[in-house]
């Protein structure tokens, strides 16, 4: 009696049910993409704060760019004031001219590197993601440079829009090429062979 009761529980347990449900969901999603439903074809990648409005510049795209540029500049100015107060604290502590000079050089170099790397990230994908991860702490120290690069890029386009547009158009071209090579019904092409 207990064996009969336990068998259905293990067969229909939550782990198996979740696995079957997730597999069914993946299959349904695959069918939607394969049958040419709403998810057919490549989709544009979302950009932070812009979503996919960069594709056709809709959804107050220009206002978002202006607002983000102003916000990034305001954050950079506020960060400069915070660093100034920190530097004054070092002067009050009488740490010495060498330490003060090293702090200034460190923040200047880190900001320059962060600005350059952030700007490059808007133009192309990183060649070595592991190296980019190792520079994350350096970018955090020089965050003022990243903010300035972001603000400057917002003046011309959504940050990363040119890169995303090139990738999206290339994906669309590949999709149309594959779709064009599969035009026609393969079953209709086989019918004359059967008649022969």
């Amino acid at each position: 009696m207990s064996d009969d009761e336990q068998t259905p529980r293990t067969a229909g347990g939550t782990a198996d049910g979740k696995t079957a449900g997730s597999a069914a969901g993946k299959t349904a999603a695959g069918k939607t993409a394969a049958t040419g439903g709403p998810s057919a074809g490549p989709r544009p990648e979302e950009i932070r704060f812009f979503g996919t409005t960069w594709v056709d510049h809709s959804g107050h795209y220009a206002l978002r760019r202006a607002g983000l540029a102003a916000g990034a500049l305001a954050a950079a100015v506020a960060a400069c004031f915070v660093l100034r107060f920190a530097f004054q604290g070092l002067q009050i502590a009488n740490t010495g001219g060498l330490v003060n000079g090293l702090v200034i050089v460190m923040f200047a170099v880190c900001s320059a590197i962060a600005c350059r790397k952030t700007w490059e990230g808007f133009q192309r994908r990183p060649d070595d993601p592991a190296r980019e991860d190792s520079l994350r702490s350096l970018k955090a120290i020089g965050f003022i440079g990243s903010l300035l690069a972001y603000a400057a890029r917002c003046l011309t386009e959504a940050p990363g829009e040119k890169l995303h547009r090139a990738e999206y158009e290339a994906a669309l071209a590949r999709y149309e090429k594959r779709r064009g090579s599969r035009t026609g019904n393969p079953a209709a092409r086989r019918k004359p062979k059967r008649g022969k």
Side-chain angles (χ1 to χ4, degrees):
M1 182 173 172
S2 61
D3 290 336
D4 294 337
E5 287 177 359
Q6 288 177 358
T7 306
R9 285 181 190 166
T10 37
T14 54
D16 294 338
K18 285 181 183 176
T19 307
S22 62
K26 289 178 184 175
T27 307
K31 284 182 182 176
T32 306
T35 56
S39 63
R43 289 186 167 190
E45 188 176 345
E46 292 187 2
I47 297 177
R48 183 179 293 173
F49 303 119
F50 291 93
T52 57
T53 59
W54 60 269
V55 177
D56 54 358
H57 295 178
S58 62
H60 306 294
Y61 169 82
L63 286 175
R64 287 184 191 194
R65 271 183 36 211
L68 286 169
L73 281 176
V77 169
C80 286
F81 278 116
V82 170
L83 287 179
R84 181 177 174 228
F85 291 137
F87 185 71
Q88 285 177 346
L90 286 175
Q91 287 180 333
I92 292 171
N94 287 330
T95 54
L98 179 64
V99 174
N100 293 343
L102 286 174
V103 168
I104 291 172
V105 169
M106 178 192 69
F107 275 107
V109 169
C110 289
S111 292
I113 292 172
C115 182
R116 181 174 174 233
K117 289 296 181 183
T118 303
W119 191 267
E120 287 176 357
F122 296 143
Q123 296 175 335
R124 61 183 169 83
R125 299 281 181 189
D127 297 329
D128 188 7
R131 185 167 182 249
E132 291 296 318
D133 287 342
S134 66
L135 291 174
R136 188 173 293 167
S137 58
L138 191 137
K139 285 182 183 179
I141 295 170
F143 65 98
I144 293 175
S146 294
L147 288 171
L148 291 175
Y150 193 86
R153 198 64 178 188
C154 281
L155 296 176
T156 57
E157 66 175 10
E161 178 182 342
K162 186 176 181 182
L163 172 66
H164 285 61
R165 189 174 299 282
E167 291 175 348
Y168 178 58
E169 288 175 357
L172 275 177
R174 285 192 304 270
Y175 175 74
E176 290 299 328
K177 186 177 179 182
R178 282 196 314 264
R179 192 173 169 197
S181 65
R182 290 182 293 179
T183 54
N185 188 357
R189 283 185 238 148
R190 293 177 190 156
K191 284 181 183 177
K193 292 179 182 178
R194 290 178 184 171
K196 291 178 181 178

